[in-house]
mmCIF file of all heavy atoms in Angstrom:
data_model
loop_
_atom_site.group_PDB
_atom_site.id
_atom_site.type_symbol
_atom_site.label_atom_id
_atom_site.label_comp_id
_atom_site.label_asym_id
_atom_site.label_seq_id
_atom_site.Cartn_x
_atom_site.Cartn_y
_atom_site.Cartn_z
ATOM 1 N N SER A 23 91.870 268.093 178.349
ATOM 2 C CA SER A 23 91.015 268.301 179.405
ATOM 3 C C SER A 23 90.875 266.964 180.275
ATOM 4 O O SER A 23 90.787 265.809 179.813
ATOM 5 C CB SER A 23 89.533 268.452 178.692
ATOM 6 O OG SER A 23 88.500 268.430 179.716
ATOM 7 N N THR A 24 90.992 267.200 181.577
ATOM 8 C CA THR A 24 90.840 266.064 182.489
ATOM 9 C C THR A 24 89.400 265.804 182.679
ATOM 10 O O THR A 24 89.030 264.526 183.019
ATOM 11 C CB THR A 24 91.442 266.420 183.804
ATOM 12 O OG1 THR A 24 90.908 267.614 184.272
ATOM 13 C CG2 THR A 24 92.993 266.580 183.611
ATOM 14 N N SER A 25 88.471 266.817 182.603
ATOM 15 C CA SER A 25 87.030 266.515 182.797
ATOM 16 C C SER A 25 86.545 265.742 181.587
ATOM 17 O O SER A 25 85.641 264.815 181.815
ATOM 18 C CB SER A 25 86.268 267.845 182.801
ATOM 19 O OG SER A 25 86.656 268.612 183.871
ATOM 20 N N LEU A 26 87.019 266.033 180.363
ATOM 21 C CA LEU A 26 86.358 265.319 179.195
ATOM 22 C C LEU A 26 87.222 264.177 178.578
ATOM 23 O O LEU A 26 86.810 263.488 177.721
ATOM 24 C CB LEU A 26 86.202 266.389 178.104
ATOM 25 C CG LEU A 26 85.294 267.636 178.616
ATOM 26 C CD1 LEU A 26 85.255 268.707 177.509
ATOM 27 C CD2 LEU A 26 83.921 267.219 179.033
ATOM 28 N N ASN A 27 88.429 264.024 179.115
ATOM 29 C CA ASN A 27 89.297 263.007 178.678
ATOM 30 C C ASN A 27 89.596 263.040 177.228
ATOM 31 O O ASN A 27 89.558 261.998 176.476
ATOM 32 C CB ASN A 27 88.754 261.550 179.113
ATOM 33 C CG ASN A 27 88.846 261.409 180.631
ATOM 34 O OD1 ASN A 27 89.898 261.228 181.137
ATOM 35 N ND2 ASN A 27 87.653 261.298 181.187
ATOM 36 N N CYS A 28 89.867 264.243 176.721
ATOM 37 C CA CYS A 28 90.191 264.398 175.294
ATOM 38 C C CYS A 28 90.844 265.835 175.056
ATOM 39 O O CYS A 28 90.832 266.586 176.047
ATOM 40 C CB CYS A 28 88.949 264.242 174.380
ATOM 41 S SG CYS A 28 87.779 265.570 174.619
ATOM 42 N N ASP A 29 91.375 266.119 173.934
ATOM 43 C CA ASP A 29 91.892 267.341 173.666
ATOM 44 C C ASP A 29 90.712 268.376 173.315
ATOM 45 O O ASP A 29 89.765 267.910 172.746
ATOM 46 C CB ASP A 29 92.839 267.331 172.425
ATOM 47 C CG ASP A 29 94.214 266.682 172.839
ATOM 48 O OD1 ASP A 29 94.526 266.512 174.065
ATOM 49 O OD2 ASP A 29 94.849 266.274 171.890
ATOM 50 N N MET A 30 90.873 269.547 173.851
ATOM 51 C CA MET A 30 89.812 270.579 173.615
ATOM 52 C C MET A 30 90.438 271.839 173.033
ATOM 53 O O MET A 30 91.599 272.137 173.495
ATOM 54 C CB MET A 30 89.044 270.821 174.912
ATOM 55 C CG MET A 30 88.166 269.678 175.382
ATOM 56 S SD MET A 30 86.750 269.410 174.177
ATOM 57 C CE MET A 30 85.649 270.655 174.664
ATOM 58 N N VAL A 31 89.675 272.574 172.206
ATOM 59 C CA VAL A 31 90.116 273.847 171.744
ATOM 60 C C VAL A 31 89.018 274.851 172.256
ATOM 61 O O VAL A 31 87.924 274.722 172.312
ATOM 62 C CB VAL A 31 90.125 273.843 170.153
ATOM 63 C CG1 VAL A 31 90.367 275.320 169.666
ATOM 64 C CG2 VAL A 31 91.189 272.985 169.672
ATOM 65 N N PHE A 32 89.599 275.996 172.715
ATOM 66 C CA PHE A 32 88.766 277.129 173.155
ATOM 67 C C PHE A 32 89.429 278.462 172.520
ATOM 68 O O PHE A 32 90.438 278.455 172.154
ATOM 69 C CB PHE A 32 88.666 277.250 174.675
ATOM 70 C CG PHE A 32 89.848 277.643 175.396
ATOM 71 C CD1 PHE A 32 90.189 278.989 175.446
ATOM 72 C CD2 PHE A 32 90.769 276.738 175.852
ATOM 73 C CE1 PHE A 32 91.361 279.380 176.212
ATOM 74 C CE2 PHE A 32 91.997 277.090 176.466
ATOM 75 C CZ PHE A 32 92.322 278.365 176.631
ATOM 76 N N ALA A 33 88.503 279.435 172.474
ATOM 77 C CA ALA A 33 88.951 280.651 171.936
ATOM 78 C C ALA A 33 88.825 281.746 173.095
ATOM 79 O O ALA A 33 87.990 281.657 173.951
ATOM 80 C CB ALA A 33 88.051 281.187 170.790
ATOM 81 N N VAL A 34 89.697 282.762 172.986
ATOM 82 C CA VAL A 34 89.559 283.876 174.053
ATOM 83 C C VAL A 34 89.837 285.145 173.301
ATOM 84 O O VAL A 34 90.759 285.187 172.420
ATOM 85 C CB VAL A 34 90.769 283.637 175.127
ATOM 86 C CG1 VAL A 34 92.080 283.505 174.588
ATOM 87 C CG2 VAL A 34 90.543 284.800 176.177
ATOM 88 N N TYR A 35 88.953 286.120 173.522
ATOM 89 C CA TYR A 35 89.326 287.471 173.030
ATOM 90 C C TYR A 35 89.836 288.329 174.328
ATOM 91 O O TYR A 35 89.215 288.411 175.274
ATOM 92 C CB TYR A 35 88.137 288.154 172.421
ATOM 93 C CG TYR A 35 88.356 289.656 172.106
ATOM 94 C CD1 TYR A 35 89.180 289.816 171.049
ATOM 95 C CD2 TYR A 35 87.942 290.647 172.785
ATOM 96 C CE1 TYR A 35 89.527 291.146 170.707
ATOM 97 C CE2 TYR A 35 88.324 291.975 172.518
ATOM 98 C CZ TYR A 35 89.075 292.191 171.488
ATOM 99 O OH TYR A 35 89.464 293.502 171.077
ATOM 100 N N LEU A 36 91.094 288.825 174.021
ATOM 101 C CA LEU A 36 91.706 289.607 175.023
ATOM 102 C C LEU A 36 91.653 291.094 174.623
ATOM 103 O O LEU A 36 92.350 291.494 173.502
ATOM 104 C CB LEU A 36 93.130 289.311 175.161
ATOM 105 C CG LEU A 36 93.380 287.775 175.720
ATOM 106 C CD1 LEU A 36 94.751 287.323 175.539
ATOM 107 C CD2 LEU A 36 92.918 287.659 177.191
ATOM 108 N N PRO A 37 90.930 291.968 175.098
ATOM 109 C CA PRO A 37 90.803 293.421 174.762
ATOM 110 C C PRO A 37 92.144 294.063 175.074
ATOM 111 O O PRO A 37 93.055 293.472 175.736
ATOM 112 C CB PRO A 37 89.673 294.030 175.620
ATOM 113 C CG PRO A 37 89.673 293.085 176.848
ATOM 114 C CD PRO A 37 90.121 291.735 176.404
ATOM 115 N N PRO A 38 92.387 295.250 174.502
ATOM 116 C CA PRO A 38 93.587 295.932 174.549
ATOM 117 C C PRO A 38 94.023 296.236 176.094
ATOM 118 O O PRO A 38 95.205 296.229 176.428
ATOM 119 C CB PRO A 38 93.432 297.249 173.865
ATOM 120 C CG PRO A 38 91.975 297.387 173.535
ATOM 121 C CD PRO A 38 91.391 295.974 173.611
ATOM 122 N N GLN A 39 93.053 296.318 176.925
ATOM 123 C CA GLN A 39 93.334 296.603 178.412
ATOM 124 C C GLN A 39 94.144 295.450 179.028
ATOM 125 O O GLN A 39 94.897 295.587 180.069
ATOM 126 C CB GLN A 39 92.080 296.841 179.202
ATOM 127 C CG GLN A 39 91.341 298.016 178.705
ATOM 128 C CD GLN A 39 90.207 297.745 177.621
ATOM 129 O OE1 GLN A 39 90.459 296.847 176.797
ATOM 130 N NE2 GLN A 39 89.212 298.516 177.722
ATOM 131 N N ALA A 40 94.020 294.264 178.455
ATOM 132 C CA ALA A 40 94.815 293.090 179.018
ATOM 133 C C ALA A 40 96.235 293.264 178.877
ATOM 134 O O ALA A 40 97.003 292.654 179.647
ATOM 135 C CB ALA A 40 94.305 291.771 178.233
ATOM 136 N N GLU A 41 96.785 294.038 177.967
ATOM 137 C CA GLU A 41 98.123 294.205 177.780
ATOM 138 C C GLU A 41 98.692 295.519 178.577
ATOM 139 O O GLU A 41 99.864 295.858 178.482
ATOM 140 C CB GLU A 41 98.573 294.476 176.249
ATOM 141 C CG GLU A 41 98.315 293.148 175.432
ATOM 142 C CD GLU A 41 98.758 293.385 173.982
ATOM 143 O OE1 GLU A 41 98.430 294.415 173.333
ATOM 144 O OE2 GLU A 41 99.403 292.431 173.535
ATOM 145 N N GLN A 42 97.704 296.094 179.210
ATOM 146 C CA GLN A 42 98.071 297.317 180.036
ATOM 147 C C GLN A 42 98.046 297.091 181.436
ATOM 148 O O GLN A 42 98.012 297.981 182.290
ATOM 149 C CB GLN A 42 97.052 298.413 179.690
ATOM 150 C CG GLN A 42 97.040 298.796 178.174
ATOM 151 C CD GLN A 42 95.770 299.537 177.738
ATOM 152 O OE1 GLN A 42 94.960 299.987 178.555
ATOM 153 N NE2 GLN A 42 95.648 299.860 176.365
ATOM 154 N N GLY A 43 98.000 295.740 181.873
ATOM 155 C CA GLY A 43 98.159 295.456 183.296
ATOM 156 C C GLY A 43 96.909 295.341 184.065
ATOM 157 O O GLY A 43 96.860 295.093 185.227
ATOM 158 N N ALA A 44 95.753 295.552 183.293
ATOM 159 C CA ALA A 44 94.510 295.488 183.988
ATOM 160 C C ALA A 44 93.992 294.048 184.266
ATOM 161 O O ALA A 44 94.261 293.191 183.458
ATOM 162 C CB ALA A 44 93.352 296.298 183.268
ATOM 163 N N LYS A 45 93.372 293.814 185.426
ATOM 164 C CA LYS A 45 92.706 292.514 185.699
ATOM 165 C C LYS A 45 91.243 292.696 185.194
ATOM 166 O O LYS A 45 90.496 293.619 185.720
ATOM 167 C CB LYS A 45 92.743 292.190 187.141
ATOM 168 C CG LYS A 45 94.065 292.074 187.783
ATOM 169 C CD LYS A 45 94.774 290.761 187.305
ATOM 170 C CE LYS A 45 95.994 290.421 188.042
ATOM 171 N NZ LYS A 45 96.608 289.261 187.622
ATOM 172 N N LEU A 46 90.756 291.940 184.298
ATOM 173 C CA LEU A 46 89.489 292.096 183.612
ATOM 174 C C LEU A 46 88.541 290.969 183.923
ATOM 175 O O LEU A 46 88.940 289.801 184.159
ATOM 176 C CB LEU A 46 89.761 292.105 182.081
ATOM 177 C CG LEU A 46 90.809 293.219 181.680
ATOM 178 C CD1 LEU A 46 91.043 293.044 180.212
ATOM 179 C CD2 LEU A 46 90.322 294.568 181.940
ATOM 180 N N PRO A 47 87.191 291.296 183.895
ATOM 181 C CA PRO A 47 86.152 290.275 184.010
ATOM 182 C C PRO A 47 86.134 289.475 182.714
ATOM 183 O O PRO A 47 86.492 289.790 181.737
ATOM 184 C CB PRO A 47 84.877 291.106 184.305
ATOM 185 C CG PRO A 47 85.198 292.387 183.618
ATOM 186 C CD PRO A 47 86.600 292.625 183.793
#
Side-chain angles (χ1 to χ4, degrees):
S23 168
T24 57
S25 300
L26 307 175
N27 291 293
C28 65
D29 288 345
M30 291 293 285
V31 173
F32 68 88
V34 56
Y35 176 69
L36 298 166
Q39 296 91 330
E41 293 185 314
Q42 299 165 6
K45 298 286 188 180
L46 304 175

